Amino acid sequence: MARRAQPIGIALPAGVLAGGAVLALSLGTLAAVALRAEGGTGLAAADWAAVRFTLTQATLSAGFSCLLAVFVARALARRQFPGRALLITLLGAPFILPVIVAVLGLLAVFGRSGLLSAALVPLGLGPVDIYGLEGVVLAHVFFNLPLATRLLLQGWLAIPAERFRLAAALGFSPGDVARHLEAPMLRSVLPGAFVVVFLICMTSFAVALTLGGGPRATTVELAIYQSFRYDFDLGHAALLSLIQFGLCGVAALLAFAVAVPSAFGSGLGRPLARWDGDRWALRLADAIWLCLGALFLLLPLAMIIAKGAAHLPGLPVQVYHAALRSLCVALASAAVTLALALPMALAAARLKRALGGALLAAGTLSIAASPLVMGTGLFILLFPLADPTALALPVTATVNAVMSLPFALRALAPAVAEAQRDFGKLADSLDIHGFSRLRLVLLPRLRRPVGFTLGLSAALSMGDLGVIALFADQGQATLPLQLYRLMAAYRMEDAAGAALLLLILSLGLFWLFDRGGRINADL
Amino acid sequence: MRYPTLAAGLLGATMAQADTPVLTVYTYDSFVSDWGPGPAVEAAFEEICGCDLQFVASGDGAALLARIRLEGARTRADVVLGLDTNLTAAAAETGLFAQHGLEDRDFDLPVAWEDDMFLPYDWGYFAFVYDKTRLDEVPTSFEALAALPDDVKIVIEDPRSSTPGLGLLLWVKAAYGDRAAEIWQGLAPHILTVTKGWSEAYGMFLEGEADMVLSYTTSPAYHLIAEGDDSKAAAGFNEGHYMQIEVAGQIAHSDQPALARQFLDFMLSDAFQSVIPTTNWMYPAVTPAGGLPDGFDTLITPDTALIYPAGEAARVRDTALAEWRDALSQ
């Protein structure tokens, strides 16, 4: 068994190193900002109001996203129909859109002059006023329902097909299936999904501000922004950022405490057939959930397409240059994400549960980071060493990779753990180690999450405005930045065309990778 | 053998570049965009300076100041262009800026300009822009706006994250002083929402979400000149309109002080100023010989120009912010 040390020797240091790098980028940048501060003020009443509002909206947003996702994901897991794969890809679109594009799409449907108001006003109702907490939650559900659905869908697909076969052989009713197969799965997957959405909503800023209606809807992230831009109080910004980390940490710990591994044992990876969903009432229910989910998520996208389609052909050439730049950043970012996430997931599977959990938590920490603090911290750290402008694109790719790492780990870590648990002993007994083990045993089982990870991180990076706005010079605009520049120059129609281009490219990247991961896999 | 060759090549390239002095100008993002003044300004200045003009962009005016503060004395900037008078007091406090020494200049500003550190390059009035085909009753003051039915909605920008938002805050404060809080309470039912920046707010207005948006008196000129659309107008307010004056200053430790000064001088010339109206959509600080472009004559011209001197703006803004937040949080 001496050679057993070999795979540990590769995976463990690589994973720990990756974890360290991520920690440096999340907490290290915060420390850089804090150290640069002179004095700094304590927390005021307004800051506590921001903390309260942030927690309220994040809890509601995560709750609704996950609740709806249970029904939508179950319907998707139970049903096979033409266009299902396309629907799953399209449902992912809102999550990867830049905020301003998504908000304008949402307003075209739910706004005062949107489709819904137009339909209601003749009936003597409306116009709909979504501004306030409800608008914030609506937008966050729009953004995060697709992610929650994907995470839960992966949970459903992780239940071995043999279990459903057995359930069918034993004559399980849908209720029995729900109790014995679905409930334990949800118990293990839901807390994680809830926390991921909660954390994303915690750091929300532009959505909460634009649809929140006013200063009541101040989030911690806006308070951080204010400390930088309005007061230039770096100490205060660092303090608020630390509070943000603390709150997110508590939320994550709670989720770890609540989540229980589902322990279905291993299956043979056979395609899934669902005998339990074959009743007309369930068919109808699933159809309704799928229609509602699709309408809610796709109508705003359709409005973005409708508004942008006419202006797409005549876009200025600079927009295409920016698009090319964004594609390169997105591909680099996807590669870095996988290079960080895979070793971390492998190392976590090798470590004891607590240590592995700690490593994954470190990797997830970046979700609580304020992009503004991270960008500024990096700026402070890099400025003495090099010209930040020259590093704008590599820094953007790296920060984007770290920002999508939590989602990558959520998708990869359970799959790695399960593959190790189910096939690790067999692989050991056959003496398959190192890269052969990765190639023969793990990767075939990881194709789906790896494809998802690459697709998601590339698409997220594509749509992210992020740190580029802090670092860019004249010729370095990415597509989202160019979109903002068009808007700032009053060119809203070109901006609508650029938004559509961004939507197409983000979704295209996601689809390519995700599909690559699903070839021969029956999703 | 490859490495020495490569090194020599790099060295040669650096030396070739070193022959042309580089002037680095920090500015806000929309200035350097392909649709902003940046490209035309760069071409025109490089024609006369024998230098390489490089723009470095950073968000908006407030982000620009934050960046200068972060970089401190080690900044690469020679000139900073794009602060406004609400930010200049804090900028002067950094001690990074030099006096411009261009004293005897005449500006076409509604107010006198006396600042030995910063020079204005353009200016504008904040105003609520509306669609003539959609708004029935156009308010003529903040009080008239407050008195309109509650379903007349405006979109404004957050003063904590945007310069127009801060401008509105100071507008109300300059016009009403101690009554500012009361005015905000009257406006509160009309405020549909508050956005992070100008682009979001203006986009929402154009989508028909709100009847009016906080922008500039010059905004309708864009629609008229660039789109041939005369449906947009700015509402003239009796109490006067708050001004935004955008300025540039020279960095004291600049290694190109002569070039930096030449740039500031160039900034007030026709070549620079004539680009401003139809790229930055603001009034030029010195009206070019050819006058303003056709269409600017259709804009409203407020009777009273409101503005706080640099130091005063910094002094009142925290009080104004607290009043704003309290009134809108109820």
Side-chain angles (χ1 to χ4, degrees):
Chain A
M1 293 305 285
R3 292 186 57 191
R4 178 118 188 244
Q6 194 196 353
I8 300 176
I10 298 165
L12 207 55
V16 172
L17 199 69
V22 176
L23 269 187
L25 276 166
S26 47
L27 289 179
T29 48
L30 169 60
V33 172
L35 289 176
R36 182 68 173 65
E38 300 141 10
T41 48
L43 292 175
D47 294 323
W48 290 115
V51 167
R52 276 196 302 278
F53 177 78
T54 305
L55 287 176
T56 310
Q57 61 84 7
T59 308
L60 286 174
S61 304
F64 280 113
S65 298
C66 288
L67 186 68
L68 295 176
V70 168
F71 296 102
V72 177
R74 188 177 62 173
L76 280 171
R78 273 207 295 230
R79 301 293 153 203
Q80 299 292 332
F81 51 88
R84 179 173 171 272
L86 181 69
L87 180 67
I88 291 176
T89 302
L90 281 179
L91 291 187
F95 186 66
I96 52 189
L97 281 176
V99 166
I100 178 68
V101 175
V103 165
L104 288 179
L106 269 180
L107 288 177
V109 175
F110 298 101
R112 274 172 27 107
S113 53
L115 294 179
L116 190 60
S117 293
L120 287 177
V121 169
L123 306 174
L125 303 165
V128 195
D129 188 352
I130 58 165
Y131 299 93
L133 184 59
E134 60 269 35
V136 176
V137 172
L138 178 84
H140 282 162
V141 172
F142 175 73
F143 271 109
N144 295 305
L145 175 60
L147 177 72
T149 303
R150 279 303 286 252
L151 291 173
L152 295 191
L153 190 57
Q154 297 219 348
W156 249 288
L157 295 173
I159 303 177
E162 289 82 354
R163 308 288 134 169
F164 287 105
R165 184 182 288 265
L166 183 62
L170 293 173
F172 272 24
S173 71
D176 294 331
V177 171
R179 194 162 61 248
H180 293 291
L181 295 180
E182 296 177 327
M185 182 279 293
L186 285 176
R187 184 145 155 58
S188 80
V189 179
L190 257 184
F194 180 90
V195 164
V196 167
V197 178
F198 179 88
L199 297 184
I200 295 170
C201 297
M202 278 289 290
T203 53
S204 165
F205 165 25
V207 174
L209 193 56
T210 306
L211 293 171
R216 257 168 309 177
T218 297
T219 59
V220 176
E221 188 70 23
L222 172 59
I224 291 174
Y225 209 85
Q226 180 188 349
S227 312
F228 268 112
R229 294 285 166 82
Y230 186 91
D231 299 322
F232 199 71
D233 185 344
L234 296 184
H236 197 73
L239 184 61
L240 285 166
S241 190
L242 203 59
I243 288 179
Q244 192 153 299
F245 272 114
L247 292 173
C248 293
V250 171
L253 279 180
L254 281 176
F256 273 109
V258 176
V260 177
S262 53
F264 282 112
S266 53
L268 295 173
R270 283 211 194 102
L272 187 64
R274 294 290 300 266
W275 294 272
D276 58 308
D278 230 4
R279 306 172 182 209
W280 71 266
L282 292 181
R283 280 170 184 266
L284 184 67
D286 285 350
I288 290 175
W289 279 111
L290 284 177
C291 285
L292 284 179
L295 263 185
F296 174 57
L297 296 173
L298 299 185
L299 259 187
L301 293 185
M303 297 305 285
I304 294 170
I305 295 170
K307 287 196 158 78
H311 309 289
L312 192 58
L315 281 179
V317 65
Q318 295 91 343
V319 174
Y320 288 102
H321 292 164
L324 202 62
R325 226 169 278 126
S326 274
L327 271 177
C328 296
V329 171
L331 291 177
S333 175
V336 176
T337 307
L338 192 65
L340 289 170
L342 195 57
M344 287 180 77
L346 287 170
R350 291 274 169 180
L351 288 164
K352 291 209 169 60
R353 187 167 133 77
L355 280 175
L359 183 61
L360 292 182
T364 310
L365 208 57
S366 61
I367 205 173
S370 152
L372 190 63
V373 171
M374 197 187 277
T376 308
L378 271 176
F379 189 92
I380 292 170
L381 291 172
L382 290 175
F383 183 67
L385 306 172
D387 176 8
T389 311
L391 296 172
L393 293 180
V395 164
T396 304
T398 310
V399 170
N400 285 346
V402 173
M403 287 297 186
S404 48
L405 189 61
F407 312 109
L409 289 175
R410 274 242 66 90
L412 275 175
V416 168
E418 200 166 292
Q420 291 281 32
R421 193 178 64 219
D422 294 349
F423 299 95
K425 291 206 178 75
L426 181 64
D428 282 346
S429 74
L430 294 172
D431 207 14
I432 305 176
H433 290 301
F435 282 108
S436 350
R437 181 165 179 148
L438 191 65
R439 188 169 61 83
L440 295 171
V441 182
L442 291 174
L443 282 183
R445 268 150 205 89
L446 295 180
R447 285 182 71 153
R448 197 181 276 163
V450 163
F452 176 70
T453 295
L454 286 173
L456 187 70
S457 59
L460 272 178
S461 173
M462 192 82 205
D464 182 54
L465 189 61
V467 292
I468 189 78
L470 289 176
F471 289 85
D473 73 5
Q474 201 168 356
Q476 287 181 313
T478 55
L479 189 49
L481 184 58
Q482 203 69 293
L483 170 65
Y484 266 89
R485 284 181 176 176
L486 281 166
M487 289 189 79
Y490 289 92
R491 286 159 201 267
M492 304 291 170
E493 293 186 334
D494 282 339
L500 179 55
L501 181 63
L502 187 56
L503 175 67
I504 292 169
L505 290 176
S506 300
L507 212 54
L509 275 179
F510 180 70
W511 180 79
L512 271 179
F513 281 119
D514 197 41
R515 186 177 160 70
R518 280 191 279 118
I519 287 174
N520 299 331
D522 183 50
L523 184 77
Chain B
M1 275 311 283
R2 276 205 348 251
Y3 293 106
T5 326
L6 185 68
L10 282 174
L11 216 83
T14 323
M15 280 161 67
Q17 273 180 355
D19 292 341
T20 319
V22 174
L23 181 73
T24 307
V25 176
Y26 280 19
T27 184
Y28 48 77
D29 195 63
S30 62
F31 193 90
V32 303
S33 96
D34 298 294
W35 307 279
V41 166
E42 182 178 348
F45 187 61
E46 284 180 352
E47 233 170 64
I48 58 164
C49 71
C51 71
D52 178 11
L53 173 60
Q54 290 185 0
F55 285 115
V56 173
S58 207
D60 63 356
L64 184 59
L65 177 59
R67 177 163 182 165
I68 291 294
R69 282 170 145 179
L70 278 179
E71 294 189 351
R74 287 216 307 269
T75 181
R76 264 178 59 224
D78 301 305
V79 171
V80 175
L81 179 148
L83 305 173
D84 68 17
T85 43
N86 300 328
L87 300 170
T88 47
E93 255 174 50
T94 61
L96 293 173
F97 288 89
Q99 294 183 329
H100 53 67
L102 297 166
E103 301 303 342
D104 47 351
R105 294 307 180 118
D106 288 327
F107 297 102
D108 296 297
L109 295 171
V111 293
W113 187 258
E114 288 154 9
D115 190 322
D116 53 6
M117 204 170 262
F118 297 98
L119 285 167
Y121 64 92
D122 71 11
W123 61 279
Y125 292 107
F126 291 111
F128 285 96
V129 171
Y130 64 96
D131 188 325
K132 285 191 270 187
T133 61
R134 289 211 317 260
L135 190 66
D136 305 327
E137 195 185 342
V138 181
T140 52
S141 68
F142 281 108
E143 286 176 314
L145 174 58
L148 288 177
D150 277 1
D151 63 350
V152 174
K153 297 289 184 190
I154 59 174
V155 186
I156 62 173
E157 295 86 351
D158 198 301
R160 297 167 290 180
S161 58
S162 78
T163 43
L166 184 57
L168 176 61
L169 203 65
L170 295 174
W171 183 5
V172 173
K173 194 72 187 161
Y176 290 94
D178 292 342
R179 284 186 58 213
E182 183 192 322
I183 293 295
W184 278 116
Q185 270 160 18
L187 293 176
H190 297 285
I191 296 172
L192 182 70
T193 196
V194 179
T195 66
K196 173 176 176 267
W198 179 89
S199 299
E200 288 91 343
Y202 209 78
M204 287 174 76
F205 162 70
L206 290 181
E207 293 292 315
E209 277 303 289
D211 301 291
M212 304 179 93
V213 60
L214 176 75
S215 189
Y216 298 90
T217 57
T218 40
S219 297
Y222 172 80
H223 298 286
L224 189 66
I225 296 171
E227 298 178 334
D229 168 14
D230 65 353
S231 66
K232 309 290 187 295
F237 277 18
N238 299 332
E239 49 282 69
H241 288 245
Y242 197 78
M243 288 178 69
Q244 181 172 39
I245 304 177
E246 297 196 290
V247 303
Q250 180 181 339
I251 293 291
H253 321 279
S254 162
D255 54 0
Q256 299 288 350
L259 264 182
R261 205 180 134 112
Q262 190 189 349
F263 181 80
L264 289 182
D265 198 28
F266 166 78
M267 188 176 82
L268 302 173
S269 71
D270 264 18
F272 184 110
Q273 292 287 314
S274 62
V275 176
I276 290 295
T278 53
T279 53
N280 232 24
W281 300 99
M282 298 281 273
Y283 287 107
V286 181
T287 309
L292 292 171
D294 287 344
F296 270 69
D297 52 330
T298 63
L299 304 175
I300 60 159
T301 43
D303 296 331
T304 314
L306 301 172
I307 192 161
Y308 283 113
E312 190 123 355
R315 199 176 52 73
V316 299
R317 73 175 192 149
D318 286 349
T319 323
L321 180 70
E323 288 170 352
W324 174 83
R325 195 165 47 203
D326 290 346
L328 298 191
S329 294
Q330 284 166 12

